Amino acid sequence: MADPSQQLPPGWVAQWDETHQRHLFIDTSTGQSQWEPPTYDQQPVIDNTQAAAQHGSKRRQYAAGSTQAYYGAAAPAAYGDPNAPQGAGTFFTPGEQQQQQQQQQPAAYGAHDASQYPQQPAYGQTPQMQPPQMGGYAQDPHVGGLTDQFSQMGLQQPHGGFGGQKGYTLYTTNLIGTYLDPRDLLRPPPEIRLPPGACISQSPSANADPSYQRCTLNAIPTTSSLLNKSKMPLGLILTPHRSLKEGDDPVPVVTDQVIARCRRCRTYINPYVTFVDGGARWKCCMCNVSNEVPQMFDWDQQRNQPGDRWSRAELNNAVVEFVAPTEYMVRPPQPPVYVFLLDVSTQGVQSGMLATATRTILESLERLPNADDRTKVAIIGFDVALYFFCIPPGSSESSMLVVSDLDDVFLPKPSDLLVNLTEARAGLEALLGRLSDMFNDTHHVGSALGPALQAGFKLVSALGGKIIVCSASLPTLGQGALKNREDPKILGTPKESSLLQAADVFYKTFAIECSRSQVSVDMFLFGSSYQDVATLSCLPHYTAGSTFFYPAFTAARSEDAIKFAHEFGEILASPIALEAVMRVRASRGLRMAQFHGNFFVRSTDLLSLPAVPLDQSYAIEVQIEENITTPFVVFQTAVLHTTCDGERRIRVVTHAVPTTSNISEVYASADQIAIATLLANKAVERSMTSKLEDARDALTNKLIDILGTYKGTMTSAGSGASAQLSISENMKFLPLLTLGILKHVGIRQSSQIPSDLRAYAQTLLTTLPSELLIPYIHPTFYSLHNMPPEAGTIGEHGVILPPPLPLTSERLERHGLYLIEDGQTIFLWVGRDAVPQLVMDVFELSGYDVLKGGKTTIPVLDNPFSQRVNAVISKTREMRRGPYRAHLYVVKEDGEPALRLWALSSLIQDRSEQTPSYAQYLTQLKEKVNGSSYS
């Protein structure tokens, strides 16, 4: 074959590629490469980002709201490891040369205030830059960036045949030796780049915020074969009933009861439909059916005059609530109902649980949702019998009725057991004030939880509502009686997974019966002995409730009482949504395949949620059933529910995502946070249906598949062995997050984890929203003794936090003070050589020797350092959504071994027990990837 370089246009060179046995043609002026021989009339390809910067106002405009929600979001700047070699093993370093100040958006996580750090682009949204020189690898200068050049082939062409759409630029990172800045986890997901004209609104909120709904891929493959080839998981992470923090925009409400829906697929009108026939009809963005615009759609009912269609909330906002007309009601909206089941046995009284629970309920009566004075309340006590409390309206007196028949539960009185909160307020307050004292001298040991649940269900089944259980001992009497089945011999063995499955079918069947009657169950479990959390958590799992677990609880320790009272009070005061059903619709070709979370699947894709708790998350796996021919697809979540105020509403969350036929764009658009959330849910399900070992293997194998396919399709190494472990820049944390799941209490290999702790950890893994889940599997690590002078002080956006550190004990100094937290627990690590002045300033003690480790409360002292440390601790407790309040433990470097190992297990980049360090894990992954064939 003749030398092709003799026939090339000026500026082009031909490079022989040994792997593919063909010439690669490289434009030396731009660094772009291609397999096809260039022609003399071929113009150099200009990078999208550079072109935008060069042309300024002429940059291509995109549908407002569909890209602005993610474009240019504020996020942490790169945090370089002073000990790491600069540029080693990294092909590109996005974020080093930020030359434009983009509009500020909230970070994808509420864990830190992103405004504390310099601005950075979202993944996949690259600033102006020149590719830096690669270090650490001897390569031909013309092939130095071969990996990224090869992955970008075709990226600058119109997307998948849909002209005018901005493509994703792929940047490859070598994971081996690359420093991971924890602040990069705060970056927004890759920008959603919809084609021009996809959205009819210019509103920045026309596409769903990631805190409501996010997809594992922000560019959906057009075919299932492309998705399968990439090995990437496709799924949605939903938090439709998200709480509002300061600065969050409230969800707009459409009150005129004019609801436009597609007559074929029942999609709600949204910013991605198109109007045709002069605006008289609208075309559905999912099935393309033309629908009539409702007559009152353009009428302002409040002012009784023609309205502005383009100002309607549903055409400008991705998240909106409709006030539902009567045809959306099976029955009139029911009042909020709360039935409290309180364990009054010896364990419940002696631990202080009963006193703390009754005091919290008493203090929360004013906070219970009761805007229209319809809320109803009942209290039932249980030990070896059932205790009902009759509270006549308007009276401050109450009477107790005892039912000892546990085999045939009945209500001893037809009325005055479930009472109106407003009418019986005086009697309720008097009862709650003395209820704990009524059982102070009890000697009953036993728990009739099953019969108590049946009694509560009889009270509430006609109306629906919430049953809130506070249980301090294992159920031993009547229906649902359980035995202590924990066997230390099988912990850490394949048989351990049996302890994570329900022991008695009663709880699942009872939960399904509750779900049919719109009854939700919340479980608050206490005690120092076995509780069988795995079985009892079935109730919240199938009734859309919540589970809370307090091992070794004693109210005599103020930290325990404060944590329970805070979380219990938050649940009571939260504005829950009742009698809900949820359905997720998607564009043609997509199907919701698998559901994860707390609900009951009523039909193929209809989820029943008797209550929708604030900040509870759901994960859905998506399948591509047929080829997608549209330039973008739409996912729409609809939650029909009753508010606490007795109003029937439909919350609609609309999420538009572009499609692609380019595998490199699939990788460049991947959302590593959503992927980790989905993998955590799948791992928990696998551990219960199979074995824990299978769940761990499935996690690692999925990661190997992704890395191997990426290496085979996106890098010059192809199917050959490589000294590198390559992944796209936007997924560089995925191996570490996967390792965090593998090392988590709910999943990790260990013979020392009690099954109750493991089962509770798994309930959190499947219900926490991404904002809380990521720190739960990748804790936050601060150095306090040498934090910057502004850390712990009040800044423009609240308390300024120190910069987070990598999760490795290499950062621990013997004289230091550190904070490690995962949203559930805070560790304050004190080095053995901590100077007396530091111990005095923080703990008001003379020195390290007199400091005691364990659960505690840090005093607020009259010195600046104490106030800064307390400010950081308070900020870490307050900054995330959800009802949880983290315990604080002081850990001495040479203190109690069990506590010390517990704290060190949070440093997931270190080796611990039978799990490898992060560096060892990467080596294992590289060996597996090199030993397999991917193409």
Side-chain angles (χ1 to χ4, degrees), residues 216-410:
T216 56
L217 301 175
N218 280 345
I220 305 295
T222 52
T223 64
S224 60
S225 59
L226 179 59
L227 178 64
N228 294 335
K229 180 181 179 181
S230 71
K231 304 297 183 181
M232 297 297 292
L234 179 57
L236 294 175
I237 309 300
L238 318 173
T239 314
H241 197 34
R242 192 203 71 178
S243 61
L244 297 177
K245 298 180 78 71
E246 185 178 352
D248 290 341
D249 294 327
V251 176
V253 180
V254 179
T255 60
D256 59 11
Q257 297 190 355
V258 178
I259 303 177
R261 299 183 67 182
C262 176
R263 55 191 170 89
R264 175 192 286 174
C265 67
R266 307 304 292 159
T267 295
Y268 294 83
I269 198 169
N270 58 76
Y272 301 95
V273 304
T274 54
F275 288 97
V276 295
D277 293 345
R281 304 181 67 84
W282 62 277
K283 184 180 290 186
C284 177
C285 56
M286 295 209 189
C287 67
N288 283 327
V289 164
S290 179
N291 304 273
E292 290 187 3
V293 175
Q295 290 184 352
M296 301 296 290
F297 195 74
D298 296 319
W299 185 260
D300 188 335
Q301 296 185 20
Q302 292 183 340
R303 300 179 182 178
N304 199 27
Q305 65 183 31
D308 178 12
R309 169 183 298 186
W310 305 108
S311 65
R312 288 189 66 94
E314 63 265 47
L315 298 182
N316 291 280
N317 296 276
V319 184
V320 68
E321 276 197 355
F322 297 95
V323 175
T326 54
E327 56 261 33
Y328 286 83
M329 304 178 192
V330 176
R331 60 180 181 177
Q334 302 299 300
V337 178
Y338 296 85
V339 176
F340 296 98
L341 304 185
L342 304 178
D343 188 340
V344 296
S345 66
T346 299
Q347 295 94 324
V349 173
Q350 290 182 351
S351 67
M353 180 277 290
L354 180 61
T356 308
T358 52
R359 185 178 66 250
T360 304
I361 297 171
L362 177 60
E363 294 172 351
S364 300
L365 288 179
E366 192 65 42
R367 302 172 64 200
L368 281 175
N370 190 28
D372 53 359
D373 294 331
R374 297 197 308 155
T375 299
K376 295 180 180 294
V377 176
I379 298 175
I380 300 176
F382 65 93
D383 48 26
V384 297
L386 305 182
Y387 306 90
F388 296 85
F389 298 93
C390 178
I391 310 172
S395 171
S396 60
E397 299 297 322
S398 60
S399 57
M400 183 172 73
L401 307 173
V402 182
V403 174
S404 300
D405 186 356
L406 303 180
D407 295 325
D408 186 14
V409 177
F410 64 93

Side-chain angles (χ1 to χ4, degrees), residues 19 100 171 275 298 354 373 406 451 491 576 647 722 769 783 841 855-856 872 898:
T19 302
Q100 301 177 11
Y171 289 92
F275 288 97
D298 296 319
L354 180 61
D373 294 331
L406 303 180
L491 295 181
I576 56 172
E647 193 171 49
S722 173
S783 174
D841 286 348
K855 192 184 302 180
T856 188
V872 171

